[in-house]
């Protein structure tokens, strides 16, 4: 009898399945959109709804992934016109947009914007209704145009309105100086495409200035969100012996596995071979790397690999923990694009920085802008060597 009921239930399920209309994603999408348009308590822009839908789709496979609509893609990647900004590096935390750092001599600095300020409005539009790329695109525009920002200062409950003039901002991604004891300090704010050349030129300048005498180096990667991963590999290579493995990269396609080693062919450095060889002392120079929770991507390549080889002492707080590379895919149907993670990397020993980041050898937290404890510790460590 029990077997009869099981068989009857199975046949009934099959009959119901046969009578169920075939699943059509396009029809389902249109039905949901129509319901929202008809019944939502607020009016709806269908194009904006579509953009959010596509962005959510990409975001579901990569939390840092994005769909870039026509305006965003044009502004961020395609525009041949002069594009101006206000001079801010931003960070997104729990759907809030904060100032990570301010470019020196920029409109943002003149407007007294500071690290940890929250941007809550742009030209009257609530930032909570925008994704990260929309915020960046909204801040950019034609030179000498104004943008109104609603700013919430730390520990404040009321926002203030700030008007900023957009300008073409020149950003020095790499800055350097000397400390007492022949210690070089190099700050890398982002791994731009030409980071290797900038790094080589800056260090060569300091080396010449010191009459070919550098006894230690501090590489500051704090608040560095990453950038071109090849630039991260290139900078790492300066401090390692030739042919040492740097990182392993793999995607979901087995044939796309690759190991990057310390050879100029692997990091687009062939045209800089003479400059690299002229600074061969970097392979043995005492080295300290400063990091914090906003050090991500290529910053973590440099820190984790040089730590694994015992080539550098890492000082600061644990890094962000991002072990993926993103690829931008232009779409053929519209002038838009999607950007999402397509590969993961690991250190030569197979270690990943996800999810805990790079753990410093010496953990020191910077409690204020005025008292840079991690930098002081780095100087103390190098002067002992």
């Amino acid at each position: 009898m029990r077997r009869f009921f099981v068989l009857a239930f199975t046949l009934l399920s099959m009959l119901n399945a046969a009578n169920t209309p075939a699943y059509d994603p396009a029809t389902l999408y249109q039905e949901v959109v129509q319901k929202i348009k008809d019944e939502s308590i607020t009016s709806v822009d269908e194009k904006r709804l579509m953009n959010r839908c596509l962005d959510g789709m990409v975001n579901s496979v990569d939390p840092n992934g994005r769909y870039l609509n026509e305006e965003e893609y044009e502004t961020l990647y395609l525009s041949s016109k002069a594009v101006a900004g206000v001079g801010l590096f931003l960070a997104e935390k729990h759907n809030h947009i904060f100032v990570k750092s301010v470019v020196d001599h920029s409109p943002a600095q003149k407007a007294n914007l500071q690290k940890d300020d929250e941007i809550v409005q742009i030209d009257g539009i609530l930032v909570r209704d925008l994704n990260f790329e929309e915020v960046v695109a909204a801040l950019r525009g034609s030179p000498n145009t104004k943008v109104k920002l609603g700013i919430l200062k730390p520990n404040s409950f009321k926002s203030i309105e700030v008007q900023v003039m957009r300008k073409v901002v020149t950003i020095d991604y790499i800055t350097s100086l000397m400390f007492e004891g022949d210690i070089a300090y190099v700050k890398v704010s982002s791994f731009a495409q030409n980071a290797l050349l900038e790094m080589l030129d800056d260090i060569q300048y300091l080396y010449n200035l010191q009459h070919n005498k550098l006894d230690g180096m501090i590489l500051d990667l704090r608040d560095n969100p990453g950038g071109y991963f090849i630039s991260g590999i290139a900078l790492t290579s300066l401090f390692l012996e030739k042919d040492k493995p740097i990182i392993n990269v793999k995607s979901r396609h087995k044939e796309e596995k690759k190991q990057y080693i310390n050879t100029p062919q692997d990091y687009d450095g062939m045209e800089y071979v003479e400059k690299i060889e002229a600074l061969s002392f970097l392979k043995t120079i005492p080295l300290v790397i400063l990091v914090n929770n906003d050090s991500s991507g290529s910053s973590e390549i440099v820190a984790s690999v040089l730590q694994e080889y015992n080539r550098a002492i890492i000082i600061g707080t644990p890094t962000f923990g991002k072990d993926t590379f993103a690829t931008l895919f232009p779409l053929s149907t519209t002038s838009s694009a999607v950007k999402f993670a397509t590969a993961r990397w690991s250190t030569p020993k197979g270690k990943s920085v996800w999810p805990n980041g790079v753990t410093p050898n010496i953990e020191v937290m910077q409690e204020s802008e005025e008292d840079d404890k991690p930098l002081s510790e780095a100087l103390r460590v190098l002067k002992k060597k």
Side-chain angles (χ1 to χ4, degrees):
M1 180 66 74
R2 183 178 179 184
R3 188 175 298 173
F4 169 78
F5 280 121
V6 171
L7 181 60
F9 178 78
T10 305
L11 288 170
L12 188 60
S13 299
M14 291 172 66
L15 273 171
N16 287 336
N19 293 326
T20 301
Y23 170 67
D24 180 3
T27 302
L28 176 62
Y29 172 80
Q30 288 297 335
E31 184 178 0
V32 172
V33 169
Q34 196 59 50
K35 285 292 182 188
I36 292 173
K37 289 172 69 176
D38 292 344
E39 306 296 342
S40 174
I41 195 170
T42 56
S43 59
V44 175
D45 179 336
E46 189 168 343
K47 185 177 180 181
R48 184 172 176 77
L49 203 62
M50 167 68 89
N51 290 343
R52 284 301 181 91
C53 178
L54 294 172
D55 193 47
M57 189 189 305
V58 177
N59 208 238
S60 70
V61 297
D62 177 7
N64 299 304
R66 288 288 183 266
Y67 164 72
L68 304 171
N69 63 35
E70 293 94 328
E71 183 182 350
E72 293 164 354
Y73 187 39
E74 169 72 25
T75 302
L76 298 176
Y77 294 97
L78 298 181
S79 180
S80 58
K81 301 175 184 176
V83 177
V86 297
L88 292 174
F89 286 104
L90 303 176
E92 183 177 18
K93 297 178 182 178
H94 309 298
N95 296 319
H96 293 259
I97 302 295
F98 295 93
V99 174
K100 182 184 289 187
S101 61
V102 181
V103 177
D104 289 339
H105 314 298
S106 67
Q109 188 181 60
K110 291 177 183 176
N112 199 34
L113 297 184
Q114 298 172 329
K115 182 178 179 179
D116 295 329
D117 286 350
E118 182 182 354
I119 301 177
V120 294
Q121 281 192 355
I122 303 175
D123 283 334
I125 299 172
L126 291 174
V127 166
R128 70 187 182 202
D129 293 332
L130 305 174
N131 63 38
F132 189 79
E133 270 69 23
E134 287 174 321
V135 171
V136 173
L139 290 173
R140 293 182 179 180
S142 300
N144 301 316
T145 57
K146 294 178 181 179
V147 58
K148 287 182 181 179
L149 304 179
I151 301 295
L152 190 64
K153 293 286 185 180
N155 304 317
S156 175
F157 298 100
K158 187 177 181 180
S159 64
I160 59 173
E161 186 177 283
V162 178
Q163 188 166 266
V164 186
M165 180 77 76
R166 296 184 181 97
K167 296 286 184 182
V168 176
V169 179
T170 301
I171 301 174
D172 292 322
Y173 289 112
I174 297 181
T175 54
S176 58
L177 55 88
M178 289 299 303
F179 282 106
E180 287 182 11
D182 299 317
I183 295 172
Y185 169 89
V186 180
K187 167 73 174 175
V188 183
S189 300
S190 182
F191 285 88
Q193 200 164 8
N194 64 341
L196 175 60
L197 178 59
E198 278 196 59
M199 182 81 164
L200 291 169
D201 287 346
D202 271 40
I203 296 175
Q204 187 66 62
Y205 174 78
L206 294 179
Y207 192 52
N208 295 341
L209 188 70
Q210 295 298 112
H211 306 291
N212 300 347
K213 181 176 170 59
L214 292 180
D215 291 338
M217 180 176 290
I218 298 168
L219 185 59
D220 192 344
L221 302 180
R222 290 176 293 180
D223 299 319
N224 184 323
Y228 287 87
F229 86 93
I230 283 292
S231 295
I233 293 170
L235 264 64
T236 305
S237 74
L238 297 177
F239 302 97
L240 293 176
E241 295 298 333
K242 189 177 179 183
D243 296 329
K244 287 273 192 183
I246 297 180
I247 59 169
N248 306 306
V249 175
K250 64 178 181 178
S251 72
R252 59 188 291 192
H253 307 293
K254 292 181 180 179
E255 67 275 10
E256 292 181 10
K257 286 184 180 180
K258 178 176 172 62
Q259 183 178 69
Y260 287 83
I261 63 174
N262 190 3
T263 176
Q265 293 92 330
D266 269 17
Y267 54 80
D268 300 334
M270 288 300 295
E271 60 183 304
Y272 309 126
V273 168
E274 287 187 16
K275 288 176 177 280
I276 293 168
E277 290 176 350
L279 298 175
S280 59
F281 68 89
L282 292 176
K283 300 187 183 305
T284 56
I285 192 171
L287 178 65
V288 169
I289 298 176
L290 300 179
V291 297
N292 63 11
N293 186 245
D294 288 322
S295 304
S296 179
S298 292
S299 297
E300 293 176 292
I301 291 176
V302 179
S304 63
V305 173
L306 294 179
Q307 183 185 55
E308 186 166 281
Y309 279 115
N310 294 317
R311 262 303 287 122
I313 295 173
I314 313 299
I315 294 178
T317 54
T319 61
F320 184 81
K322 184 182 178 185
D323 68 343
T324 57
F325 300 134
T327 304
L328 181 74
F329 296 99
L331 301 176
S332 58
T333 48
T334 61
S335 298
S336 57
V338 289
K339 182 180 180 182
F340 54 86
T342 54
R344 292 187 184 278
W345 64 270
S346 61
T347 67
K349 291 183 179 179
K351 294 181 180 178
S352 170
V353 297
W354 186 86
N356 299 317
V358 179
T359 301
N361 299 94
I362 303 172
E363 194 156 335
V364 182
M365 186 173 291
Q366 184 174 342
E367 296 174 356
S368 68
E369 292 287 325
E370 296 75 25
D371 184 15
D372 195 338
K373 290 184 178 179
L375 178 58
S376 298
E377 180 65 14
L379 290 167
R380 186 191 69 78
V381 167
L382 287 173
K383 286 175 181 177
K384 282 176 62 179
K385 288 188 174 290

